[in-house]
């Protein structure tokens, strides 16, 4: 090799210097910052610094100086979404004055929001949501007048919402929800007339009615108090309104019926009272209507039958009275209908059998009477059917055996009579079957032994006779079994059982020694029967038992 060939070229020296500076500044970033910077970020910042260092920037500078050098190359975008960075946000980021987008969301950052971010006046997007930031929202963020997107939601921020945010008149999206903010929502936010999406916390100022460009208003689970302003009825561009999970009182404004573009309306889990406005029947674009868990009274408006785009209707957990409107049978797009825990009376409308897209139907915990319509057997998409805790009479329709997608079927605590249909043995997807506390007679069908997916089976408190079928020994996934009859030895095969309740029946014979194999049991109830013989010593193997009742009195 010649001397010329062995001499390093300018490019080789430059590359070596680049590698040195990269290593140097990565190390500086790790040592001088509270953040555990990834290699990608080190290279993102440092390679820009390298270019500047060739023009005189010293390689041996602290992180702040490195960031100053970075600004010379006009770094415009810094996106670190989803990285597992820890520590606090470096105040030195305030030196990157050419930044237009800063995205640190969904990281593990802690500490406060640096006031220095208020220096980044070129920012159009600032995303700090879903991290672990604490402290207050800096008033200096009000200086970022070019922002069109500000996301601070999903943190642990405290204090009040700064009125200075009302200066950000270019904002299209503002997210402050899911924090620990207190006080009222500033009326100054009514100046943000370009807003398309808003997620906040506090009380609802009437000035929000001025934000006529809003398409989404999300104030859910933010401890809101007071009433729903009637002025929200002016937001006719809204397609989504979420006020659920708050402490709102008063009535539902009839003016919400003017929001004819709404696709989703969520007012559930508040303290709203009064009746459901008939005007909501005008919202024919609605796909989701949730009014659950309030103090609503009166009847279900027949006008809701006009909402033919509805997929979800939740009115449960109120004090609604009257009958279930037959007009709900027009809502053929419904997949989820929940009317449970009200005071509804009358019969179950046969028209509900037209809702063939239904996956969930909960009518339990009301005062419904009459028989179970055979038409419900048409709802072959149903996975959950709850009719328990009513005053239903008559027999269990054999047509329910056609609902082969059912996972949960609960008919408990009614006045149902007749026998248990053998057709229920076709529901092989069932996880939970509750028929207890009725007036069912006859024997327990052996076909129930085909329901090998069952984890919960309750047939107690009926008038069943005969023996417990040995076929139930196949239900090896059962965790809870509450029955009536005599005790077959095959129950010893149900090794997943945690609760076996056979109390308060007319059980005869002896206690099978095989029950000693049920080593997962924590509760065994055999009391108040007519059992004879001795208590098997094998029960001493049930070392997980917390409750054991074997009185034969």
């Amino acid at each position: 090799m010649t001397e010329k060939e062995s001499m390093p070229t300018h490019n080789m020296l430059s590359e070596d210097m680049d590698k040195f500076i990269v290593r140097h500044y990565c190390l500086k970033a790790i040592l001088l910052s509270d953040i555990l910077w990834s290699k990608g970020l080190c290279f993102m910042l440092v390679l820009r610094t390298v270019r500047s260092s060739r023009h005189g920037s010293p390689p041996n500078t602290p992180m702040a100086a490195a960031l100053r050098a970075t600004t010379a190359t006009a770094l415009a975008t810094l996106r670190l979404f989803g990285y597992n960075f820890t520590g606090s946000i470096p105040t030195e980021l305030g030196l990157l004055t050419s930044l237009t987008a800063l995205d640190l969301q969904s990281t593990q950052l802690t500490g406060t929001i640096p006031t220095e971010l208020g220096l980044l006046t070129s920012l159009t997007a600032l995303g700090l949501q879903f991290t672990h930031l604490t402290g207050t929202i800096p008033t200096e963020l009000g200086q970022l007048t070019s922002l069109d997107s500000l996301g601070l939601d999903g943190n642990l921020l405290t204090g009040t919402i700064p009125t200075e945010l009302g200066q950000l008149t270019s904002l299209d999206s503002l997210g402050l929800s899911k924090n620990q903010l207190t006080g009222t929502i500033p009326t100054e936010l009514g100046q943000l007339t370009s807003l398309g999406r808003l997620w906040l916390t506090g009380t609802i100022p009437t000035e929000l009615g001025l934000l006529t460009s809003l398409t989404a208003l999300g104030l859910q689970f933010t401890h809101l108090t007071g009433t729903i302003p009637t002025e929200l009825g002016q937001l006719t561009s809204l397609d989504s309104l979420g006020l659920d999970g708050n402490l709102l009182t008063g009535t539902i404004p009839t003016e919400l019926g003017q929001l004819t573009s709404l696709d989703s309306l969520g007012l559930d889990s508040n303290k709203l009272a009064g009746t459901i406005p008939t005007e909501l029947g005008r919202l024919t674009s609605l796909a989701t209507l949730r009014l659950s868990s309030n103090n609503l009274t009166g009847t279900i408006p027949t006008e809701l039958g006009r909402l033919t785009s509805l997929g979800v209707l939740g009115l449960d957990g109120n004090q609604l009275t009257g009958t279930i409107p037959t007009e709900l049978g027009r809502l053929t797009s419904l997949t989820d209908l929940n009317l449970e825990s009200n005071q509804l009376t009358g019969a179950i409308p046969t028209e509900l059998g037209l809702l063939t897209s239904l996956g969930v139907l909960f009518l339990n915990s009301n005062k419904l009477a009459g028989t179970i319509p055979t038409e419900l057997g048409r709802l072959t998409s149903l996975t959950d059917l709850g009719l328990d805790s009513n005053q239903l009479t008559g027999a269990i329709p054999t047509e329910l055996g056609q609902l082969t997608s059912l996972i949960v079927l609960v008919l408990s605590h009614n006045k149902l009579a007749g026998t248990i249909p053998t057709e229920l043995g076709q529901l092989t997807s069932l996880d939970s079957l509750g028929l207890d506390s009725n007036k069912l007679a006859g024997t327990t069908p052996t076909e129930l032994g085909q329901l090998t997916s069952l984890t919960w089976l309750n047939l107690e408190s009926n008038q069943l006779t005969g023996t417990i079928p040995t076929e139930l020994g196949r239900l090896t996934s059962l965790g809870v079994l509450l029955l009536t009859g005599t005790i077959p030895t095959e129950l010893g095969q149900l090794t997943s059982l945690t609760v076996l309740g056979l109390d308060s029946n007319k059980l005869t014979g002896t206690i099978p020694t095989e029950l000693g194999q049920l080593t997962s049991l924590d509760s065994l109830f055999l009391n108040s029967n007519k059992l004879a013989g001795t208590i098997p010593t094998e029960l001493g193997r049930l070392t997980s038992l917390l409750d054991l009742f074997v009185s034969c009195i």
Side-chain angles (χ1 to χ4, degrees), residues 46-98:
V46 174
L47 285 178
R48 286 168 171 77
T49 305
V50 167
R51 298 189 186 102
S52 295
S53 71
R54 294 175 182 167
H55 299 282
S57 296
N60 205 12
T61 54
M63 181 181 177
L67 290 172
R68 290 191 192 97
T70 302
T71 63
T73 61
L75 180 62
T77 301
L78 182 55
R79 298 188 186 279
L80 303 172
F81 175 91
Y83 283 86
N84 288 323
F85 299 134
T86 58
S88 59
I89 300 173
T91 58
E92 289 84 354
L93 289 183
L95 300 170
L96 305 179
T97 53
S98 295

Side-chain angles (χ1 to χ4, degrees), residues 381-402:
S381 296
L382 272 183
T383 60
D384 296 80
L385 176 58
L387 304 179
D388 50 299
S389 301
N390 280 291
Q391 299 172 17
L392 299 173
T393 55
I396 298 174
T398 59
E399 289 80 359
L400 296 189
Q402 300 168 20

